[in-house]
Amino acid sequence: PLEPAWGRISLMAVGDVPTDIYDLRGSRVIFGREQGGIMFPSDPFLSRQHASLRMEVHESGMNVLLEDAGSANGTYLRARGYASLSAGEMFRVGDQLFRVKGGG
């Protein structure tokens, strides 16, 4: 059996239309062209291991952190290093645009 999802993201198409939905499981989800839990092998803008989403639980609640893995093209949220994400926020990894959804 799969462990419960702590979050969900949707891949966004042109016109802000969601296409694929990904449940986030485990404390860290890696995006990449050749390695990771969410892969896009035909995206030339993605590095082999491009970025990750990490879930951290604190006494006051949960944080979701987006972190670039030193990729050649960067990860875009209009932030440097890592950033805490909230439901509804969007981020770009390679040529893929995602929107953060609520819990699983």
Side-chain angles (χ1 to χ4, degrees):
L2 293 174
E3 63 182 283
W6 53 264
R8 181 175 283 171
I9 58 173
S10 55
L11 182 63
M12 305 303 289
V14 174
D16 203 26
V17 176
T19 57
D20 298 330
I21 295 176
Y22 299 91
D23 288 327
L24 305 174
R25 293 182 168 85
S27 60
R28 185 170 180 233
V29 177
I30 297 172
F31 298 85
R33 183 172 27 85
E34 298 176 10
Q35 297 176 340
I38 300 176
M39 293 189 298
F40 297 94
S42 61
D43 185 344
F45 298 104
L46 274 176
S47 294
R48 177 187 308 219
Q49 186 172 338
H50 196 99
S52 67
L53 283 177
R54 189 176 67 223
M55 181 256 305
E56 292 184 346
V57 178
H58 303 279
E59 291 178 15
S60 59
M62 179 180 87
N63 286 340
V64 178
L65 302 172
L66 173 65
E67 184 173 13
D68 186 79
S71 67
N73 292 319
T75 300
Y76 296 93
L77 179 70
R78 295 186 184 171
R80 300 259 183 226
Y82 69 89
S84 182
L85 300 174
S86 300
E89 288 190 277
M90 297 177 80
F91 65 95
R92 179 175 296 276
V93 176
D95 202 25
Q96 314 304 316
L97 182 64
F98 294 94
R99 181 183 306 276
V100 177
K101 300 173 121 347

